[in-house]
Amino acid sequence: MRWQKARRSDNVVDARGGGGGGMRFGGGKGLSLGGIAIVVVIGLLMGQDPLTILGNIAGQAVQTGGVTTQSQPAPAANDPQSEFVRAVLGDTEDTWRAIFQAGGKQYQDPKLVLFSGGVRSACGFADAAVGPFYCPGDQQVYLDLSFFRELETRFAAAGDFAQAYVIAHEVGHHVQTLLGVSAKVHAARQRGERVEGDNGLLVRQELQADCLAGVWAYHAQRRLDWLEPGDLEEALNAANAIGDDRLQKQARGQVMPDSFTHGTSAQRERWFKAGFERGEVGRCDTFKAARL
């Protein structure tokens, strides 16, 4: 992937060298990192969103505010990983600005926060074990770059375009927030509706974000011609590696569709392809799809 061709975004916040204090929830009630790790593991095994569990434990309302991270050594200036993230985010901005403008809307760029170990967002405190995530409360993407190493070593999904897919998927959630999709899913949860399961709203929301990542990839390739042989396969391999069925099989030896939150490996591949084939947002309506 010739990512050097892309414009660098100014919306990356590098908080990897931030000050301490990210180990406590709001309201003065603390939870140790060990306790957070246990909650994360339990959430993954149960097929539930660890951020939701952590937010419930903290009793923390969504709020805006600064990012708080665990203390880490400051990163070197102009390090390649940060440059890569800025390049990918910059191209998602260019893509979605043009798409929104064509539809008579204005795209609002999200911030992307790089952190190490743990971070406090408007959605609560998150340990790096949660993986990359998007918080609609502050409209920011959060990424611990160690996830890319895990993607390669644990999930056998190496490659720069695999990493770009991960970023584009989280930006897809931001697009959903701007379009009102995230609010509708949240409202359904607040009404007490079950949103988990292989046909549930959470799966449909995640698969739509995969499709939107494909839409971005289509337009980025047309604009920059930056994909090299094997790049597309890298993205599809990453989508396959983090399907609910594959992760559950690895974690506990069996698959429980009732607890799905992201979709199967095959579904994640299929919806990314649906977006990448023509670059049309209209092909990403997973909420009306009879077959996921």
Side-chain angles (χ1 to χ4, degrees), residues 118-153:
V119 67
R120 189 196 306 278
S121 74
C123 296
F125 181 89
D127 185 90
V130 174
F133 67 95
Y134 171 76
C135 177
D138 54 25
Q139 298 191 8
Q140 296 187 150
V141 174
Y142 292 86
L143 172 64
D144 186 323
L145 290 171
S146 65
F147 178 77
F148 290 156
R149 292 194 298 273
E150 185 177 16
L151 195 65
E152 178 177 355
T153 58

Side-chain angles (χ1 to χ4, degrees), residues 3-283:
W3 58 266
Q4 294 84 356
K5 289 185 173 185
R7 178 187 64 82
R8 306 301 191 266
S9 172
D10 294 325
N11 289 308
V12 174
V13 179
D14 196 336
R16 289 174 291 171
M23 299 199 302
R24 297 180 68 85
F25 288 101
K29 297 181 180 180
L31 184 65
S32 69
L33 287 178
I36 292 169
I38 292 173
V39 171
V40 169
V41 171
I42 291 175
L44 292 174
L45 291 178
M46 293 176 63
Q48 298 182 15
D49 185 354
L51 285 177
T52 300
I53 299 175
L54 291 170
N56 290 337
I57 292 175
Q60 180 174 317
V62 171
Q63 60 184 21
T64 58
V67 175
T68 305
T69 66
Q70 295 179 41
S71 181
Q72 298 287 339
N78 299 321
D79 72 288
Q81 284 189 308
S82 176
E83 283 295 296
F84 171 77
V85 171
R86 293 177 190 277
V88 174
L89 185 65
D91 196 74
T92 65
E93 292 167 351
D94 293 344
T95 294
W96 289 112
R97 286 172 186 171
I99 292 175
F100 269 59
Q101 184 177 17
K105 297 181 173 63
Q106 183 174 1
Y107 181 69
Q108 301 169 17
D109 298 342
K111 297 286 187 180
L112 189 152
V113 179
L114 295 175
F115 71 96
S116 297
V119 67
R120 189 196 306 278
S121 74
C123 296
F125 181 89
D127 185 90
V130 174
F133 67 95
Y134 171 76
C135 177
D138 54 25
Q139 298 191 8
Q140 296 187 150
V141 174
Y142 292 86
L143 172 64
D144 186 323
L145 290 171
S146 65
F147 178 77
F148 290 156
R149 292 194 298 273
E150 185 177 16
L151 195 65
E152 178 177 355
T153 58
R154 178 184 172 191
F155 300 110
D160 45 16
F161 199 57
Q163 298 172 4
Y165 153 75
V166 170
I167 296 172
H169 172 92
E170 300 305 333
V171 172
H173 285 310
H174 178 63
V175 173
Q176 290 174 320
T177 293
L178 298 181
L179 296 178
V181 174
S182 302
K184 292 179 180 178
V185 175
H186 179 70
R189 187 197 293 273
Q190 292 296 100
R191 292 193 299 268
E193 295 182 20
R194 178 175 171 78
V195 295
E196 297 84 4
D198 57 349
N199 200 38
L201 292 179
L202 284 183
V203 167
R204 293 177 181 273
Q205 184 178 23
E206 294 295 336
L207 293 179
Q208 185 179 62
D210 282 332
C211 185
L212 295 174
V215 169
W216 159 75
Y218 170 89
H219 289 279
Q221 173 62 6
R222 290 196 65 182
R223 184 169 53 252
L224 299 177
D225 188 28
W226 62 356
L227 294 185
E228 299 175 294
D231 280 345
L232 181 59
E233 288 74 19
E234 289 177 1
L236 294 175
N237 186 39
N240 181 281
I242 52 180
D244 281 327
D245 53 342
R246 182 168 175 178
L247 292 179
Q248 289 185 358
K249 186 73 173 179
Q250 290 175 345
R252 54 192 176 190
Q254 60 180 328
V255 177
M256 300 181 65
D258 286 347
S259 63
F260 282 0
T261 57
H262 286 67
T264 67
S265 295
Q267 288 170 338
R268 301 200 70 170
E269 280 193 65
R270 181 162 61 249
W271 281 101
F272 178 85
K273 285 181 180 178
F276 183 75
E277 285 172 356
R278 298 183 184 178
E280 298 173 359
V281 175
R283 292 169 60 89

